[in-house]
Every structure is written in structure tokens, then in C-alpha cells.
Amino acid sequence: MGVSISFISATPQELDRAESDPSWAGEFIYELYDGDTVGRPHGGPDKAWAGLQFLLDGAEMNLEFLMDGYLIREDGTLFGWSPEHVQAVARELNATPWERLAVHYDPERMTKEEVYPNMWRFNPEGELAWLEDGYEDLVGFFDAAAKGSYGAFMNFSF
């Protein structure tokens, strides 16, 4: 299984309801992921989140998966991101080419620091390509959500 992060777009009304009724939010998110999400932007870094966070930090970007957004469920598994926050992140990601992050890839250091999923030393080039795919998915999600004036739910599963 593993630790993963995923995003699914949310209307301001859905975010408001989720904040006031976290138990509804859990059920709603489950139905969204289990049901038909066609027409609703979704995606995210999945298990690449910590590796991407390492690169984002190295590039001094203003995105921190585990600190951004606001807590919806007290168990730390669901967060809300306002439409304004989604738009700000989309602008920053769209202005940041992959190459700016890739220069901070350091499989040796990432292994030493046990950056999840701590597999960097086995196939360094393959893992860098995996992170690039994760970044492209992240940029695509935020771009589509921002264009649709959506906020987002961030699901942190462990």
C-alpha cells in the first residue's frame, strides 16, 4: 500500500460543507474516487510526494504538501485547499520548469535522509523519471483545477 497523496477538485460549497461536517467529507471523497470523476480534475503525486517535496524545497518553491491547505479530518488524512490557493500554486508550478527541480535530485542524500519511499539508490535514473512524471501530473492537476475555478481536497493516505 504505502503513503500517498492525491488531489481531487472541489467546489467552494463542497469545501465549506466538508469543513463543517468532516464525516460527510470522508464519505463524499470516497464516492468521488470510487465513482465517476469524469469532468472533475483529479490526480497528484501519489507515492512520489516526498521525493517531489525534496526537490521543491531545494528549488525554494512555496509548496509544502503536509503544511498547505487546512485540516478537515482530525486524523490528518483530508485537507482542503481554497480556489485562491489552488490558483496560486498553479501559477507557481506553471512558471517552474521540471529542470529547475531536477537539478536538486540527489539520490545519495535522499537515501541518507530516508526520503520516502527511500528507493533512490536502486535505479537513480528511473526514479528521476518517475518524479518527473509525478511533477507533470501535479502541474496538470493544479492547472486544470485553477482553470475551472476549483479548490481541492488533498487526501493523505497511510
Side-chain angles (χ1 to χ4, degrees), residues 8-9 27-37 40 153:
I8 192 159
S9 55
E27 293 172 19
F28 181 69
I29 297 299
Y30 178 79
E31 289 173 13
L32 285 176
Y33 279 112
D34 197 40
D36 183 11
T37 56
R40 183 179 285 247
F153 290 116

Side-chain angles (χ1 to χ4, degrees), residues 23-105:
S23 62
W24 171 84
E27 293 172 19
F28 181 69
I29 297 299
Y30 178 79
E31 289 173 13
L32 285 176
Y33 279 112
D34 197 40
D36 183 11
T37 56
V38 173
R40 183 179 285 247
H42 63 285
D46 196 37
K47 292 182 178 112
W49 68 272
L52 286 175
Q53 187 67 62
F54 182 91
L55 302 180
L56 293 165
D57 292 347
E60 298 181 354
M61 292 183 64
N62 294 319
L63 173 58
E64 192 167 338
F65 294 118
L66 298 182
M67 299 303 291
D68 284 355
Y70 54 89
L71 185 65
I72 292 176
R73 296 190 63 184
E74 291 298 321
D75 63 1
T77 61
L78 187 61
F79 296 81
W81 294 43
S82 70
E84 297 78 19
H85 191 181
V86 166
Q87 290 172 359
V89 170
R91 280 190 301 273
E92 186 170 14
L93 292 174
N94 281 319
T96 307
W98 166 248
E99 293 75 19
R100 182 172 162 209
L101 273 66
V103 298
H104 299 284
Y105 182 63

Side-chain angles (χ1 to χ4, degrees), residues 3 45-56 65 98 101-102 104-135:
V3 180
D46 196 37
K47 292 182 178 112
W49 68 272
L52 286 175
Q53 187 67 62
F54 182 91
L55 302 180
L56 293 165
F65 294 118
W98 166 248
L101 273 66
H104 299 284
Y105 182 63
D106 185 343
E108 200 171 297
R109 182 172 162 218
M110 293 168 78
T111 298
K112 183 178 179 183
E113 293 182 15
E114 298 181 359
V115 174
Y116 182 81
N118 201 10
M119 58 189 187
W120 315 110
R121 67 176 182 220
F122 300 113
N123 180 4
E125 294 80 22
E127 302 312 332
L128 181 60
W130 176 64
L131 289 173
E132 183 177 10
D133 289 344
Y135 185 67

Side-chain angles (χ1 to χ4, degrees), residues 131-150:
L131 289 173
E132 183 177 10
D133 289 344
Y135 185 67
E136 289 173 3
D137 288 347
L138 192 66
V139 172
F141 165 75
F142 275 96
D143 187 53
K147 285 179 180 172
S149 299
Y150 283 108

